[in-house]
Structure formats: C-alpha cells, structure tokens
Amino acid sequence: MPSEPVAVVGIGQTRHVAARRDVSMAGLVREAAQRALADAELTWADIDAVVIGKAPDFFEGVMMPELYLADALGAVGKPMLRVHTAGSVGGSTALVATNLVRSRVHATVLTLAYEKQSESNAMWGLSLPIPFQQPLLAGAGGFFAPHVRAYMRRSGAPDTVGSLVAYKDRRNALKNPYAHLHEHDITLEKVQASPMLWDPIRYSETCPSSDGAVAMVLTDRAGAARSPRPPAWLHGGAMRSEPTLFAGKDAVSPKAGSDCAADVYRQAGIADPRRDIDAVEMYVPFSWYEPMWLENLGFAAEGEGWKLTESGVTELDGDLPVNMSGGVLSTNPIGASGMIRFAEAALQVRGLAGEHQVDGARRVLGHAYGGGSQFFSMWLVGSEPPTS
Amino acid sequence: MTREIAVVAFAQTEHRRTSDELSEVEMLMPVLHEVLDQTGLKTSDIGFTCSGSSDYLAGRAFSFTLALDGVGAWPPISESHVEMDGAWALYEAWTKLLTGDADTALVYAYGKSSPGSVRDVLTRQLDPYYVAPLWPDSVALAALQAQALIDAGDTDEPALAAVAARSRDAASANSHAQLRGSVPQGEYVVHPLRTGDCPPISDGAAAVVLAAGDRARELCERPAWIRGIDHRIEAHSLGVRELTDSPSTRLAAEKAGAFERPVDTAELHAPFTSQEVVLRKALRLGDEVRVNPSGGALAANPIMAAGLVRIGEAAARIHRGESDRALAHATSGPCLQQNLVAVLEGEPRHAQ
Amino acid sequence: MTTEILKAPLVVEFPFTRSLGPVQSAFLTGLREKVVLGVRTTDGRTLVPPVEYDPVTADELRDLVEVAPTGTVTTWAWNHAPRRGQPLDTPFAWVLVRLDGADTALLHALDAPGPDAVHTGMRVRVRWAAERSGAITDIACFEPYDSEVEAQPTDHDGQFEDMVTGIVAQARLDYTYSPGRAQTAYINALADRRIVGERCPSCRKVYVPPRGACPTCGVGTAEQVEVGPGGTVTTYCIVNIKARNLDIEVPYVYAHIALDGADLALHGRIGGIPYDQVRMGLRVEPVWTEGGRYPDHYRPTGEPDADYETYKESL
C-alpha cells in the first residue's frame, strides 16, 4: 500500500534576531507553533504528535529540552520526539514528522526547530575544548573556508562570486519580515570591502547568529481537504549521511548531498532539476556554498555553478531563484535553519511568501546540511498533490 | 494492510563502570559488528540507520558524528539520530520501515556515564529557571518519588530491597550485566533510597536490527514482531504530576495494545527500584509476569542505551523461544516523565 | 605492554543568560520582594510555581495571584551529603511544598535537623535569602513552621518596580576525558615527534589522526603506520579573527596537510612563511617545540610545490 500523502497546512516562524530577551525558551518555540496553528486554523487539541529538533544542547545549556518544553507545546499526553542531526537537524526533523503521517501512525503532526543562541554564544558552543587536541580554530567559518578555496581552485571561478551571493541574499532578506539581518543600505561594494574573516570568506559573506524558531503543521489527505489555505504537498524527501572525514572525501561536492538529491528527484519524478524545479531554498551559511550546492544538487555541471550566480539566474527575479527568504546568510538560528529552508519552500508553493514570493512557483526544493558537510536532508514540495 | 516489523537481532556490550581505554566508537563498533553478523547483513544492505545518544553525557558536542565512523557510512547511507534513548531511535526506524522506504533498519545507542558525574549532568534536563539552579540530582528526584510511594502505602524499604535483590539475582544469568548476584543494599544515598535501590553507573552500547515482513523471516528464525509501539510524555514539573502513578506509561501501553492479552515477560526500564513499583501498577503486571529477567537497569544502566536494551532483551527471549509475548518499556526524563512501550510477539511455535 | 590510559579534565562551564517570559519575570521579581506568586488556570486551579503554559490545556497563563509563604510538605527526601550547587551546604531534605492556596507543589530544600524531623504533611515556611536578585534561590530554603493553613490567594497584577527580565544561570560540569585506544597511540607517538596513523585492514587507507574505526568500512584500524614528516598543503584559509580561547596571533594560516603516506589530510597551522605566500601544493614539514604535544606548526621544506594532480584527490 503506498504511503499517505503529506500536506503542509500551517507554517509559523518568529522574527529572527540576535537575541530575544522578551521570552523564555518555551515562549520562543510557542510563538512559532502558535503561528503555524493559526495559519492552519487548528488548535493544540488537533495535533497528534510533536517532533522537535535543535542543534547541540550545550548551546542553551539545557539537556534534552523536549522534557521542559512538553507543556508549552501542548505535548502532554502525546508522543514527542527530539531529533538531532547537527546543522541539518531542521530538515531531518521535518522528514521524521512526515514519516509519522506517511506511515499513517498519526494524522496531524506539529514539527518545530529552534535555537536560542543568545543563552550562550555560537562561538563558544561550536568550540568546546577537547583535551589532547590542538586548538586551531574557533567557530565554523574556519572549518569551511579551506573547502571554499578548494572550490575556487577547482572551478576557476572569479573571486567576486561569493560577494554576489551575499549581496543577493541580504537584499532578498529585506523582503522577508522574519529575516534577522535587514541591511537597508547594503551595496555590492560594501560587501566586497568587508574584512576577510577566514580568507576567502568575508565578514559580510558569513551567517549571523540568531535566536529563532520555526514550526509547521503536517497532515494527511483528509487534513489537507480541511485546510483553509492551499497546502504544500510533499513530493519527495530524503536524508543521507557520510562520514565526517575520510580518505577520498569530496568536501566540495559531497556524495551524500548528490545522492540525497537524486533520491528526492526520483521520488518526485524530476528528470532535469534545472528545468523542473522552480526555486530553491538551500543551506548557504557562507556565500560560496551557493555555487557549490548548485553543482552538488545537479542544477549546474561540475565547475559551472558559479556561472548561474554570476549571470543572475539565482536572483529573486531570475530563472532559478535561490534563497528568496534571504537564506542562512541572513538568518541563522542553527537548529532551526534547516527547517526554515523547508518551510520557506513550502511557503513558496502555497503562494504565501509575500514580498519574496516567486510568481508561479509550483515545485520548490528545500535543502539542509550539517556536520563536516556530512549530513544532508532535503524535500521537494509542490502546489499540487503528488501523482504517484 | 500495515507492514509487520520485527526485531531480528540484538547485541550489547558487557556494560561496565568505566571504559577509559576506549573511545565511544571503539566501544560501540563491536556491537554493530555483532548485530550485523547475526543477520549476515552488511551496512550496505541496511535500508535505514538511526541512533540515540546524548552530547551532555560525556561533555562532547556532536559526539554522534564520530560514532558514525563505526557504521561505515560509505557509500552514503540514509541515517538519522535522536538526542534520546535508543528506544526512540528504534521508534523512528519503525515508522520509517512502515512507510515502505526501507525493509531493514540498524538501530544503535551508546552512552558513557563514566566521564562525568551523571547525577549532576542529569540536572541539566530540569526546568532551567525554577529547578535547574538548585541542582537536584537524579537520585534526589527518584527519592522524592519513592517517599511518595511509601506515604501512599504502595511500597516500603524491604519491598524496594526485594526488587533490588531480585534484579541482581536474575542478572547472574546475564553476562552483559554489570551488577550480578548478591549486591549489598548499602547505606542511604538520598533517603529513602539506598545504594542498592539505585542503578549502577555504566558505560555501554546496544544495537538492534529491524526488518519488515518476509525479510524478517529470512533474517531470523523466530522474529520478535512489534505488534504495537507507542510513547507519551507528561508535564515536566514534579509538583504538577502524580508521582505514584505513570499515566503516560499506561496510555502508551494502551495504544500499543499491551492490555489486549497478557504478556509473559516485561522488560521495564526502571533505574530505581521505586520506579518498578510505579510501572508495575501502571502496566497492571501481576506476579505471573517475569519482570526484568535480564536484571533490568538496576543491573546495568548505560544511559541512552538502557531503554533500547530492554527492547533487545525482550526480543532476544522471543528469538530463543523463552517468551511468546513480551512488553518492553523505556523511559526518559525525571521520575518517569516520558515513557515508551513496545509489545513484541513471536509466532506460535510449531512442532518440528 | 599495557599503555597508560590518557585522561584529562574537561570542564564545560558557561554563565547562561536566560531571558524570562512575563509570568516568570513576575514570579522571580516577586521573590526578590518576598512575595510568592502563583498563576490561575481557566478551570480555577492555582499553580505554584507559576508556569507559563497550562500543563493540561496548553493555554497561555497570565492571571497571577499572591499566595502565602507557608505551606505543606507533600513529599520529601533526606539528603545527607549535599552536592555542589545545591541550596544548603549542610544536610537537608529535598521537599515538594504545596504553598497555602496552591494546587501544585514547588521543589526546594528544607532545613531541618535530621530525617526524623521531616514528614509528609508537615508545615513549613519560606526562609528568604538575605540578598535577593530575582531568582529561585531568593528562597534560601524552607524551614519548619507550624501555622494554620491560609488558603486565600489574592489577585496580583505581577508588576513590581524594576522588573527582573532575565537570570544568569552559571553552570559548570566536570568531566574526565579519555581519548581512547587509537588516539592514545597517536598522542604517545607525537610525544616522540612521530606522526603515526593507522591502516584500515579492508581498504588499506592510512588514517591520520587515527580514530579507531575506518569510517568508510566500519571496521577497526590497528596497523600502525608512520607518515610524513613532509607533506603537501592541499587547501587552507587565512584566519583573521582571533578567538578568545586560542593562543595564536592573527592573521595565521589554517591548512589541510596531506602528509606523505597518509590518505587523509590533517589540519595544522602554517608558519615560517608570510601568510599571503602560502599556496596549495606547498611542501611543508612539522616544527616541534620543546615539550610540545603536537607540532607547533608546519613550515616550508623548500622543495618545489607538489603538482596539482598529485593532491587534487584530497580536495
């Protein structure tokens, strides 16, 4: 028997900022959850299960926070799961939630992801000391910068490509009321003049650290029929992992990423992603990951991803818009970022993305990655129910 | 017609007080090999992998990314992780198999309690504003629950001591258990709980292979079919909950079909003797049920794997023909806040 | 030959800054002012401590009431050996106390002479801390106090002067870290200024640093293989932001170095060359300092750069 189709009928997120000082952790997730419920015109009582995801517990200093959050999320008396797959967690969490509906274990599931980074700080959380290991880096940028350099070398891309991505994503963010960074006076020159943090990655090409939460209500066919607004339909979803470091790893275009995309495309009947997919929300925490992921996801041939960026194809009004929401470069509550990509993809095909809506977006890819470029989760959502 | 999913293999470490000479992956890997060897499968044959662990236990963020090295995730695999006991990783894998995306799943869990002070680490689970700043350790919280049971007339210290003795006595037959045979009940740790009422501090790992339908029959002579599995969570604050009962366990058991027919065996994840009293009541287990023949968490408590071990132990008894219908339980959070119940059955044995 | 097990302390500590929701803010500010607040649910229960969301209905709760600082013990546990961070240094009882007027209980400590002086149902009252800042520890503990039950909570608007909007929750956990067999062997070799990896018996790749498992094959590595000393920079970045816990002056070059004989690049700092002259393909060798646990940095050997073809697989 084929699995149950899954519809996204409610989406909510908080206005992402450097620090939310007006709410507790429960208040933060609650805000996103309530907005999702309101969007779906449902109440807590309509939810059968809760699936929550976030990045390492050390970030907020709360171990297994689903225990403390159960009351706030109406989960008392219900099943509650907490997923953790490093940076891709927001995406994986959504996929775990879809499995509950696809398998018909539950009809309507609330899924959320969050990070309240300001309880500690991102740099500390990502750089906990490990004895006997030589401390060489603090923060994530230094880890990924060498891979960016490798990509630049392999592809021969002009070194301005990264700044084009940052400029685009930050301008897109101005059209997204929930995005963290709203740089009203941004110019390409400012981006290119910003200091190098981990050469070749500049300050303005680096994601911020944000407090934020995102929530979605997923339901089955029957639930979708009752939805007050058009649902987004799941056409395909997959997760792939590969080891953190291994001999022969392609850190620039990890096989786990391309395998994951291939699985999603197969499920969704996508033969040519460049042609069949209308827009992409991909996890780009450092600007150069846009051309790298464009290649990894099959939108461009190897070494050619930067050409799509440079020629404006990935602009909001381009032929294949990427990160219409402003992306991770504009908003990064680490545990939530993957799910924000998934949610933004769903907003697009529902026609509810407001000022950053891509006209006629009918099939949009949401993408998340994490760890040492090793965990990937992706979904493809459409405005129509899946045919298979 | 819903797919039938079974536990077809189970392996665990010999749980120990410390494992300083091994990293987490070095501790875990033999268990992965063993469980795959039992089925003859290789990593590339497995359709989905899911694990459970907690960064906080050993003070390592992202520790599960290194544990993945033990799986051999190349070519890339479909894989997920929960920051919960492996029993919930098994639940996630079960739902994945139900979708039909995969026919087999590898589920594993590991935890080293020895690096830190577990009693204090677990305080980080508590309400960060009103409770965690007081650092009430895990034994203290269990003791509050135990006293409530004593006040209600549900138990007394001799009865608790009997649970402890029975558990470790049963563990004599379990080479993987840590506390085996006669263990002194000892002095109070936090009154009314004595050393004997508390679990040992254990390092350990466990793994299970799940398979669907005919695939399960190919891989295992007598699969332990998961007839039902469900989990529920209660409110967080101890002052709001009824500590002498476990409504979430009862509800999960109902949803899993546990009450439809009697079980002959129950593996209960009760790290404290007093918690077994609560669980027996919630699950309506009479004296005719064999409770914790493995010794339970009182004999070995590799946190993050202990719940998965309960499911594995129950399944293994079915595999061996020692049980026909078993209940396995896992818990998470202070004083049984969250509970999972699985009902496992073996097919009726035919005369050979 | 038994290898000594390497261990080192690992402290995870941070002063977490936790912002409060309105109900929490009112409660904790109230404690500073020696007022105990609870919150009313829609079905008329009074919850103390006041939580933000109803555990039964999930409704947001806002209606605050003041309750008495006296109450009844609903369960207890005698703690003869207080641990770090706990409310009292001397033996005490953990208690759940249902304050008069409340339907739920609050968890705290009771200062009593011994377990014989504690019982469920006994009457207690708050002992306030001498210095209060708006935290649960403004209640220093409870103490025995015989009194009549005063069960009349009164409405309270939750407003005080100078509301507390956040708490600082200092949390420290001490761990003992042991690197495990493979890394221990690696660390011990480093002490002899040797870089030694391990070969996978299946794929034959040499892993440096060794991790005990070959990540692609999922089998244990064991065969020791010395690599280097020379190696090739495969890629790198120039770090310009100095991190607080790092003792390295910026700018510095953080590089992936494929040591001769290793199948995986390890990570190290490049020194002995202006940072802007570092390039992919640069041949380097480790520089050891007296008593150092690992190479302090890698410096150019002076050999011609490695051909791109020879290391591009490592990218």
Side-chain angles (χ1 to χ4, degrees), chain B residues 19-23 25-26 29 33 43 55-60 66 68-75 112 114-117 119-121 123-124 127-131 133-137 140-141 143-149 151 188-192 235 237-240 243, chain C residues 5 7 10 12 16 18-20 23-24 27-28 49-51 55 74-80 83-87 94-96 103-105 107-108 115 120 136-137 167 169-183 211-220:
Chain B
S19 55
D20 296 349
E21 74 284 11
L22 299 174
S23 64
V25 68
E26 287 165 353
M29 202 165 37
H33 292 171
T43 298
D55 288 345
Y56 248 106
L57 211 54
R60 294 290 310 274
L66 299 172
L68 190 61
D69 286 351
V71 174
W74 189 258
K112 276 176 169 255
S114 62
S117 169
R119 284 172 69 180
D120 303 317
V121 169
T123 64
R124 302 303 89 195
D127 181 312
Y129 312 90
Y130 296 166
V131 185
L134 302 176
W135 295 81
D137 59 275
L141 298 181
L144 287 170
Q145 183 174 41
Q147 185 61 44
L149 284 166
D151 291 338
Y188 287 122
V189 180
V190 180
H191 175 288
S237 167
L238 289 195
V240 158
L243 294 178
Chain C
I5 293 174
K7 294 191 216 201
L10 170 61
V12 180
F16 294 95
R18 306 201 183 289
S19 54
L20 304 171
V23 164
Q24 297 169 316
F27 176 63
L28 294 179
V51 288
T74 61
T75 186
W76 61 281
W78 185 256
N79 184 24
H80 70 269
R83 304 170 71 79
R84 184 172 71 192
Q86 294 182 347
W94 288 106
V95 283
L96 283 177
D103 294 294
T104 60
L107 189 149
H108 218 291
T120 297
I136 192 65
T137 43
I167 59 169
Q170 183 86 30
R172 172 183 171 146
L173 287 169
D174 286 73
Y175 299 86
T176 302
Y177 173 81
S178 8
R181 185 204 59 76
Q183 281 192 43
R211 306 204 294 272
C214 171
T216 56
C217 303
V219 298

Side-chain angles (χ1 to χ4, degrees), chain B residues 68-141:
Chain B
L68 190 61
D69 286 351
V71 174
W74 189 258
I77 59 174
S78 177
E79 183 258 348
S80 183
H81 172 263
V82 291
E83 192 87 350
M84 305 174 81
D85 186 288
W88 278 268
L90 184 147
Y91 182 84
E92 182 182 334
W94 174 77
T95 64
K96 182 73 166 166
L97 294 191
L98 281 181
T99 65
D101 288 350
D103 295 330
T104 53
L106 171 67
V107 178
Y108 64 91
Y110 64 91
K112 276 176 169 255
S113 293
S114 62
S117 169
V118 173
R119 284 172 69 180
D120 303 317
V121 169
L122 291 174
T123 64
R124 302 303 89 195
Q125 287 180 340
L126 305 171
D127 181 312
Y129 312 90
Y130 296 166
V131 185
L134 302 176
W135 295 81
D137 59 275
S138 52
V139 180
L141 298 181

